[in-house]
Amino acid sequence: MKYILYARKSTEDDDRQILSIEAQIFELKEFAAKEKLEIVASLQEAKTAKEPGRIKFAEMLALIERGKADGILSWNPDRLARNSVDGGRIIHMIDRGLIKALKFPTFWFEPTPQGLFMLQIAFGQSKYYVDALRENVTRGMRQKVRNGVWPSKAPLGYLNNPKTRGIDVNTEKARKVKKLFELYATGNYNLRELAEWYMRVSTKSNLDKGMYISQVPKILQNVFYIGLMKYKGEIFQGTHEPLISKKLFDRVQEIMREKGKSQKIKKHNFAFLGLMKCPCSAAITAEKKIKPSGREYIYYRCTKKKGPCQEKYFLRDEELYKQVKSFLQKVSLSSQDTKKVLAELEKDESRAKEEAKTTVQNFKTELTKIEAKLQKLLDVYLNEVISADDYKVRKEILVIQKVGLGEKITDFEQIGLSWLEPAREFVLSLNQASKLLEFENKSEMTTFLKNIGSNCILQNRQLLFSPKIPYDLVAACGGPMPKNLQFPLWWTWGESDSRPGNLPA
Ligand SMILES: [Zn+2]
């Protein structure tokens, strides 16, 4: 049996529930693969069936007349004929034995007198057409997802566009969602603080109802924000604009894993609390003491909550502050020098952009390969070589690779080389250190040090601090830039391509 695949949707067909031609073809191919039908021709028509005289329809009947095919595969009888002339011609060809089979994924037809009667009804009656709508709606949703369009209510930060039936960005809310990710990625906020922050920034607008704590993790884990869609357990690439980068998303997932679900809210009045630990691994606490003279002192000491501890000293707040400042001085860069370094970076950027062109080309070749793989995967799935579950798993891997690559390409196209942005942030953070010193903002200093370092120990009244790369190199130079501004060690990283890792966001 040789089948002709026939798909039709007319532009004047104002019923939106009808699948697009593309969707019909997809469903029909899937159906053909399942039913093992041999397709000899695939015809599509963008004309109405209400009036006779469709070109492709006539071409199909001619092919059948010449014996090139003896079966028709179409989405629904209403795709074939919606006027009595066309319906009559098909039925006449069935009578003559020219058409031996009619297959519809949505309609069961057998060439018996009873079947022919049913077909006549299907051709002629719009009631059937209405009955078929429900099936079409769910299939239409699946097709929408396949086309990269989210079929239901848009997530926070997006809008359903009733005209295009696509998903648009809600600029104001999108900004807040983006900020949620960025704030969480600093590691300094918990879910409750984020929900509270959202409430605070949302009170101005009546339309924004605020946020429950339980909503925050759902937002932070929604792949929709990086341009993907999870629909019934399957990952699809969306056509909507991503709000955040995959890099930021990954960072947030990492932090979420680290923090787990329960986390206490930090609340204290001591600026350097939470910065240091004791060599015995217990936390350092602070307390206020009032001398007989009436003067208040703040002391930092070990909590002694982790068993025996050798530390017997208390460190006064003023003393600790001095040590913090002296460290900050080592990693600070004046605003004037910052400008110079940034200008130098800019020059480097244009150079790097040139070099990046080749790299981008390579990524694009890789991307084409992945796209070919996806197509091949779909083919083997349609041919039932692999199971639906297997298909989903493999597809997810490929789609994620594809998004990752796409992002790399954007990175290279926009930034030139991915180390440049961290380098710029790094320079700016050195400048931030200088500003913190200028404004004597103690609690911000704590945040800054936590960001650029790890494992801060208070031992023997000394603050032992191990900065992350590249801050360690700057600190080891004994001070910031020399007066004549020769670029320090970290400057050469771009050339050797060993990128500075773990830079603060
Ligand atoms: Zn201790």
Side-chain angles (χ1 to χ4, degrees):
M1 206 89 77
K2 293 184 169 110
Y3 286 88
I4 295 178
L5 188 157
Y6 181 82
R8 178 183 65 82
K9 179 165 186 176
S10 65
T11 40
E12 65 256 53
D13 210 344
D14 51 11
D15 204 307
R16 282 175 175 166
Q17 308 291 2
I18 304 285
L19 293 183
S20 70
I21 286 182
E22 191 197 349
Q24 287 179 37
I25 291 174
F26 186 94
E27 296 282 353
L28 289 174
K29 283 190 173 162
E30 202 174 20
F31 181 80
K34 256 184 219 154
E35 303 277 311
K36 309 232 185 323
L37 306 180
E38 189 195 353
I39 309 283
V40 291
S42 179
L43 302 172
Q44 39 184 294
E45 193 137 44
K47 259 198 149 186
T48 180
K50 281 174 195 153
E51 319 276 348
R54 288 169 290 153
I55 299 164
K56 294 290 169 185
F57 183 77
E59 193 182 323
M60 174 172 71
L61 296 189
L63 282 170
I64 293 169
E65 203 78 56
R66 294 208 308 272
K68 301 281 181 198
D70 49 9
I72 300 175
L73 172 62
S74 193
W75 173 244
N76 189 278
D78 66 29
R79 299 297 88 202
L80 279 182
R82 286 188 66 199
N83 62 65
S84 53
V85 177
D86 287 345
R89 287 175 74 183
I90 286 181
I91 286 170
H92 186 52
M93 285 176 105
I94 296 169
D95 283 343
R96 285 159 65 205
L98 288 172
I99 293 177
K100 293 197 179 71
L102 283 179
K103 295 273 184 187
F104 311 99
T106 56
F107 183 87
W108 172 248
F109 168 71
E110 257 184 313
T112 58
Q114 206 187 3
L116 283 168
F117 176 69
M118 289 300 291
L119 191 65
Q120 252 161 336
I121 291 174
F123 281 156
Q125 285 210 347
S126 55
K127 187 197 166 295
Y128 176 81
Y129 178 71
V130 174
D131 290 343
L133 283 188
R134 199 203 279 164
E135 173 75 339
N136 273 333
V137 170
T138 42
R139 297 223 176 214
M141 272 172 100
R142 273 169 54 199
Q143 180 57 27
K144 230 180 159 187
V145 174
R146 220 179 276 124
N147 288 340
V149 181
W150 186 242
S152 39
K153 192 172 177 288
L156 185 73
Y158 290 94
L159 284 171
N160 294 87
N161 185 329
K163 275 184 192 159
T164 63
R165 312 214 300 145
I167 302 285
D168 292 349
V169 171
N170 177 338
T171 320
E172 200 201 325
K173 286 188 188 173
R175 203 164 32 82
K176 284 183 228 161
V177 169
K178 203 176 162 196
K179 194 76 190 164
L180 269 186
F181 276 92
E182 286 167 354
L183 287 174
Y184 194 77
T186 63
N188 296 330
Y189 302 91
N190 59 33
L191 302 175
R192 188 172 140 190
E193 286 168 315
L194 288 183
E196 284 168 358
W197 170 83
Y198 192 88
M199 291 283 246
R200 224 169 28 244
V201 294
S202 300
T203 42
K204 284 169 204 156
S205 137
N206 297 327
L207 295 168
D208 227 338
K209 278 174 265 156
M211 187 177 288
Y212 299 106
I213 300 170
S214 60
Q215 282 175 281
V216 183
K218 280 178 196 152
I219 292 169
L220 295 177
Q221 287 172 314
N222 195 347
V223 291
F224 200 83
Y225 295 115
I226 55 168
L228 297 177
M229 305 183 296
K230 196 165 193 169
Y231 187 75
K232 298 200 167 154
E234 194 174 346
I235 295 277
F236 293 89
Q237 187 163 11
T239 50
H240 60 276
E241 190 183 318
L243 293 190
I244 57 153
S245 69
K246 185 171 177 294
K247 237 179 286 165
L248 178 59
F249 187 80
D250 288 345
R251 172 108 186 90
V252 163
Q253 307 316 308
E254 196 184 304
I255 289 176
M256 204 172 275
R257 269 195 299 275
E258 280 169 15
K259 287 200 175 187
K261 276 176 188 168
S262 64
Q263 209 210 11
K264 289 173 203 160
I265 316 149
K266 287 173 260 164
K267 246 188 184 169
H268 55 76
N269 303 312
F270 305 111
F272 301 119
L273 211 59
L275 175 64
M276 307 151 291
K277 280 194 167 178
C278 181
C280 78
S281 90
I284 295 289
T285 185
E287 58 192 0
K288 215 178 259 183
K289 284 197 172 170
I290 304 167
K291 292 254 164 155
S293 63
R295 263 194 81 175
E296 273 186 8
Y297 292 95
I298 293 168
Y299 290 95
Y300 287 82
R301 63 161 177 86
C302 177
T303 51
K304 316 253 176 191
K305 279 183 178 164
K306 295 253 166 127
C309 172
Q310 308 292 317
E311 290 294 311
K312 39 184 183 272
Y313 298 110
F314 287 33
L315 182 62
R316 262 181 51 188
D317 185 57
E318 292 85 346
E319 186 53 39
L320 181 59
Y321 184 41
K322 248 187 238 169
Q323 292 185 26
V324 166
K325 279 201 288 191
S326 102
F327 181 78
L328 282 174
Q329 260 146 15
K330 287 182 187 170
V331 294
S332 73
L333 187 63
S334 74
S335 297
Q336 203 186 354
D337 284 348
T338 303
K339 266 184 203 156
K340 287 184 197 167
V341 179
L342 287 178
E344 223 29 62
L345 264 176
E346 223 145 86
K347 278 188 211 160
D348 250 42
E349 183 175 4
S350 13
R351 262 201 304 274
K353 266 186 180 166
E354 279 304 307
E355 289 166 21
K357 272 185 189 166
T358 342
T359 319
V360 166
Q361 199 46 54
N362 291 341
F363 281 145
K364 280 187 175 163
T365 316
E366 221 175 303
L367 194 64
T368 317
K369 277 183 199 161
I370 289 182
E371 271 160 5
K373 274 186 194 167
L374 273 169
Q375 187 54 49
K376 210 169 170 186
L377 184 63
L378 178 63
D379 289 345
V380 293
Y381 169 57
L382 291 181
N383 286 321
E384 291 193 311
V385 178
I386 55 169
S387 69
D389 284 344
D390 210 5
Y391 171 67
K392 275 185 197 171
V393 171
R394 294 194 203 185
K395 185 186 163 198
E396 180 167 348
I397 294 168
L398 286 173
V399 168
I400 286 171
Q401 277 178 357
K402 194 177 155 188
V403 170
L405 260 179
E407 206 162 271
K408 272 187 197 163
I409 290 173
T410 323
D411 271 8
F412 270 75
E413 279 175 344
Q414 287 177 354
I415 309 167
L417 280 177
S418 56
W419 60 267
L420 271 164
E421 201 46 43
R424 199 175 280 134
E425 279 171 18
F426 172 60
V427 172
L428 287 171
S429 74
L430 295 180
N431 185 228
Q432 199 201 342
S434 137
K435 284 178 179 163
L436 289 175
L437 283 167
E438 194 184 329
F439 296 107
E440 304 193 320
N441 189 333
K442 286 187 189 178
S443 58
E444 284 293 317
M445 284 177 186
T446 301
T447 314
F448 182 83
L449 291 179
K450 275 164 82 180
N451 271 336
I452 72 160
S454 54
N455 208 11
C456 197
I457 304 275
L458 186 63
Q459 185 173 30
N460 252 334
R461 292 197 182 114
Q462 290 299 309
L463 175 67
L464 306 177
F465 185 67
S466 33
K468 289 181 201 165
I469 54 162
Y471 296 93
D472 55 342
L473 293 173
V474 182
C477 290
M481 309 294 173
K483 281 254 152 54
N484 59 359
L485 195 75
Q486 282 181 339
F487 293 118
L489 271 174
W490 56 265
W491 188 254
T492 56
W493 281 345
E495 280 110 73
S496 65
D497 198 40
S498 68
R499 295 165 188 174
N502 299 324
L503 283 166

